[in-house]
Amino acid sequence: MVETTSVLESEPQKPIYWIETKVEIETKYEFLTSNITSVLLLAPHKFSAMSSTMILIQDFLFHVFHFLKSKEISVSLWCSCGLLASSAFLYFMSRPRKVYLVDFACYKPGPACICSKEKFMKMSKCSGQFTDESLDFQMRIVNGFGLGKNTYLPESMLKIPSSISIADAREETESVIIGAIDELLLKTKVSVYDIGILVTNCSIFNPIPSLSAIVVNHYKLKHNILSYNLAGMGCSAGLIALDLAKQLLQVHPNSYALIVSTENMNSGWYQGNNRSMLVNNCIFRIGGAAILLSNLSSDSSRSKYLLCHTLRTHKASQHDCYNSIMQREDETNTTGISLSLDLIRYASRETIRSNISTLGKFVLPFKEQIKFLATLVGIKYLKINMKRPYNPDFKLAFEHFCVHTGAKEIQDVLKEILQLNDYHLEPSKMTLHRFGNTSSSSVWYVLAYCEAKGRIRKGDRMWQLSFGAGFKCNSAVWRALRTIDPAKETNPWTNEIHHFPVDVSALYK
């Protein structure tokens, strides 16, 4: 009280607010000057919300400024303190935000959608649209590409005759994405009002309103949600959506991002006799996945995985790669998606090699990087003729490989390039056998298989690898934040995982 009186006598022009807080400001100033390092290190952790932090800092600096002015502190000291505080604040705020995978869910259709090989061939034959030669070709594909007897097609297509329409396609997609999201929300207990970012992807079916609008409408998401819908990007679109969500989470703090990946069988069904287009009918099946990402530090304790890297490789500048997968009309003006021989010969090999060569410097041990670099320099610059260039051992970087199901030929290419064994490719092969090629969502069914098998341990590193039209190859690298207990998990494999793996080698002969 005595000190307050002296201030009143010496500085009568000071406002009452300043008088009441002078003691508090002196305390803050002494603490700041004597513990500047501790303040700078602890401040970013003390305030979780940017807006609250800025208000507190502004208020604090206002008082400090007036106090320094009253003490006639030199301008240089004041500027130095301000510069140091600003630099520290910018450093902590500019660091990349950690992105967590809280959980994910894969859609599993009901028994009415089960499509055995016999049912598939009966449906194709009863359509009356395929020649005997085309039916024989489809039979060989169905029997030789590793698909099992319990894959799924939409109910509308399993009818005799099949029902192909926009209404049926919309019903199929809504059942998949709503089914997957419902399960995800049940697992994570996150409110739909907390979701600030939404990314959907479907290559073929792109209605108006978009798929992202369907999600917003059904769940009544907030009006200012950042929503995006990716189209025409093939089987690799799931990891492209993941990369987009990651970039958005870097600039929008304290946010949840919902990703929905699916494909539509009804609108992609080919009704002609071109063999390059008939393959899609035989290997693609209904499926979808919903993924919840977060950049909240408070979610680190309950999340499953930490996103370490994403990498995208695009080879559309090369003619062979660009035309390897293309939607077009056949000789009778029937629309379909053709798969060329270049898909295996050029596109997949070249694009996959480019992707893993770039990814290697982020994930491979230093010793492996040196070996690979020496080989690259020898071939490219010293013109050394090497019969077998050195391939880095990615098994030293990852415990689990979640490879896009694709087809047997693609799996063989990856097995050769990455020097994988049957154990590493087992999740991908079993997913193709059980669910077929579910396009962009397939890598999540593969990861679900690893979880159901109890393979995921805390600290394990996982590599998701997908490829698709363009030609594109995309990677996502995760680190497990906790051991996944399959007894506590619910996913499409839960009630039948004890039946796997099965021997599918006979199906490839």
Side-chain angles (χ1 to χ4, degrees):
M1 187 66 183
V2 175
E3 184 174 353
T4 304
T5 305
S6 62
V7 172
L8 283 169
E9 293 174 353
S10 60
E11 296 180 7
Q13 72 279 13
K14 297 294 183 181
I16 295 177
Y17 181 76
W18 164 255
I19 296 170
E20 293 176 342
T21 58
K22 181 179 184 302
V23 176
E24 179 184 355
I25 298 304
E26 284 188 342
T27 304
K28 291 181 179 179
Y29 171 70
E30 291 174 0
F31 179 83
L32 177 64
T33 55
S34 60
N35 300 277
I36 184 68
T37 304
S38 301
V39 171
L40 293 176
L41 290 176
L42 294 176
H45 301 283
K46 186 175 180 62
F47 309 111
S48 59
M50 175 73 75
S51 58
S52 300
T53 303
M54 292 302 295
I55 294 173
L56 290 170
I57 290 176
Q58 182 181 3
D59 183 60
F60 178 70
L61 291 178
F62 172 80
H63 295 309
V64 171
F65 173 77
H66 283 283
F67 180 70
L68 291 177
K69 185 178 179 180
S70 69
K71 293 293 185 179
E72 297 182 352
I73 302 298
S74 66
V75 175
S76 60
L77 179 59
W78 164 246
C79 293
S80 299
C81 292
L83 180 62
L84 183 60
S86 300
S87 301
F89 178 77
L90 291 175
Y91 169 74
F92 285 109
M93 292 300 104
S94 62
R95 289 185 306 171
R97 305 178 191 277
K98 291 184 178 180
V99 176
Y100 302 100
L101 192 158
V102 181
D103 213 330
F104 68 97
C106 298
Y107 177 71
K108 186 176 184 179
C113 294
I114 292 178
C115 178
S116 63
K117 298 178 182 180
E118 294 76 17
K119 185 180 290 187
F120 175 84
M121 292 307 305
K122 181 180 179 180
M123 175 188 67
S124 297
K125 186 175 182 179
C126 291
S127 68
Q129 298 161 341
F130 304 110
T131 64
D132 291 341
E133 292 77 9
S134 293
L135 291 172
D136 290 340
F137 176 76
Q138 292 181 67
M139 176 64 78
R140 292 198 301 272
I141 295 297
V142 169
N143 288 330
F145 266 56
L147 275 71
K149 61 182 180 179
N150 292 318
T151 58
Y152 299 98
L153 281 178
E155 289 188 63
S156 60
M157 296 181 62
L158 293 176
K159 297 177 182 177
I160 305 296
S162 299
S163 179
I164 308 295
S165 67
I166 292 180
D168 291 315
R170 184 183 294 273
E171 181 181 355
E172 172 194 340
T173 294
E174 288 182 352
S175 65
V176 172
I177 61 179
I178 292 173
I181 295 175
D182 281 349
E183 183 179 343
L184 178 65
L185 295 176
L186 185 64
K187 295 169 73 171
T188 60
K189 303 295 189 294
V190 170
S191 170
V192 293
Y193 302 108
D194 293 330
I195 298 173
I197 299 169
L198 171 65
V199 184
T200 60
N201 71 267
C202 183
S203 187
I204 299 176
F205 183 56
N206 297 287
I208 299 175
S210 66
L211 299 187
S212 58
I214 292 176
V215 176
V216 173
N217 175 263
H218 181 82
Y219 292 98
K220 309 305 177 187
L221 302 183
K222 54 189 179 183
H223 70 279
N224 61 341
I225 190 170
L226 301 175
S227 62
Y228 302 85
N229 184 69
L230 306 182
M233 306 191 81
C235 301
S236 63
L239 296 189
I240 294 175
L242 173 66
D243 180 71
L244 173 58
K246 183 195 79 170
Q247 301 297 335
L248 292 169
L249 287 171
Q250 294 303 311
V251 295
H252 295 281
N254 305 316
S255 298
Y256 285 104
L258 173 63
I259 302 172
V260 185
S261 296
T262 187
E263 196 50 80
N264 190 276
M265 292 300 302
N266 196 288
S267 59
W269 185 253
Y270 174 60
Q271 304 180 66
N273 291 281
N274 186 302
R275 291 192 175 188
S276 68
M277 298 179 176
L278 279 172
V279 174
N280 289 284
N281 289 4
C282 301
I283 65 175
F284 280 90
R285 294 292 184 267
I286 186 174
I291 304 96
L292 185 68
L293 303 181
S294 170
N295 60 13
L296 280 73
S297 58
S298 57
D299 280 327
S300 61
S301 59
R302 72 178 186 125
S303 297
K304 285 185 173 181
Y305 307 104
L306 173 68
L307 182 58
C308 302
H309 301 287
T310 56
L311 180 65
R312 296 170 56 181
T313 302
H314 206 308
K315 290 287 185 176
S317 59
Q318 300 181 16
H319 184 74
D320 292 333
C321 294
Y322 176 74
N323 289 287
S324 60
I325 303 177
M326 180 163 289
Q327 187 177 29
R328 61 181 179 84
E329 291 88 8
D330 64 8
E331 302 78 8
T332 62
N333 289 326
T334 303
T335 302
I337 299 177
S338 65
L339 307 178
S340 74
L341 295 177
D342 292 337
L343 174 61
I344 305 298
R345 190 180 306 163
Y346 301 114
S348 61
R349 286 182 178 273
E350 184 172 346
T351 311
I352 290 170
R353 286 187 184 276
S354 296
N355 186 271
I356 65 176
S357 297
T358 305
L359 183 67
K361 64 182 180 182
F362 298 110
V363 299
L364 285 172
F366 182 71
K367 183 178 179 181
E368 287 296 301
Q369 293 189 45
I370 292 297
K371 290 180 181 180
F372 178 71
L373 180 62
T375 303
L376 182 64
V377 171
I379 295 175
K380 190 172 183 178
Y381 298 102
L382 302 180
K383 307 301 180 182
I384 299 176
N385 185 17
M386 296 184 180
K387 294 182 178 180
R388 291 193 63 184
Y390 180 74
N391 282 329
D393 188 359
F394 280 89
K395 296 188 294 295
L396 299 175
F398 303 106
E399 283 75 32
H400 310 285
F401 296 81
C402 301
V403 178
H404 169 50
T405 52
K408 177 191 179 289
E409 286 77 6
I410 299 292
Q411 294 174 349
D412 290 342
V413 169
L414 288 169
K415 186 174 184 179
E416 173 193 345
I417 295 177
L418 301 178
Q419 301 177 14
L420 303 179
N421 55 38
D422 292 337
Y423 175 84
H424 297 122
L425 286 177
E426 176 188 312
S428 179
K429 288 185 176 181
M430 293 304 102
T431 300
L432 179 63
H433 176 76
R434 177 62 183 86
F435 294 98
N437 185 343
T438 59
S439 189
S440 59
S441 64
S442 68
V443 291
W444 298 105
Y445 286 86
V446 176
L447 180 55
Y449 180 90
C450 296
E451 290 187 352
K453 276 292 183 181
R455 295 184 178 182
I456 307 299
R457 304 294 177 186
K458 183 177 180 179
D460 282 0
R461 298 155 298 178
M462 283 137 291
W463 182 10
Q464 287 183 314
L465 182 65
S466 67
F467 23 85
F471 193 80
K472 300 182 289 292
C473 181
N474 304 312
S475 292
V477 177
W478 303 90
R479 180 168 59 84
L481 297 175
R482 56 185 171 89
T483 299
I484 305 299
D485 184 359
K488 299 179 180 179
E489 291 295 316
T490 301
N491 68 42
W493 301 91
T494 299
N495 297 325
E496 51 187 281
I497 191 63
H498 56 282
H499 294 304
F500 297 92
V502 297
D503 183 14
V504 297
S505 58
L507 300 177
Y508 293 134
K509 295 180 181 179

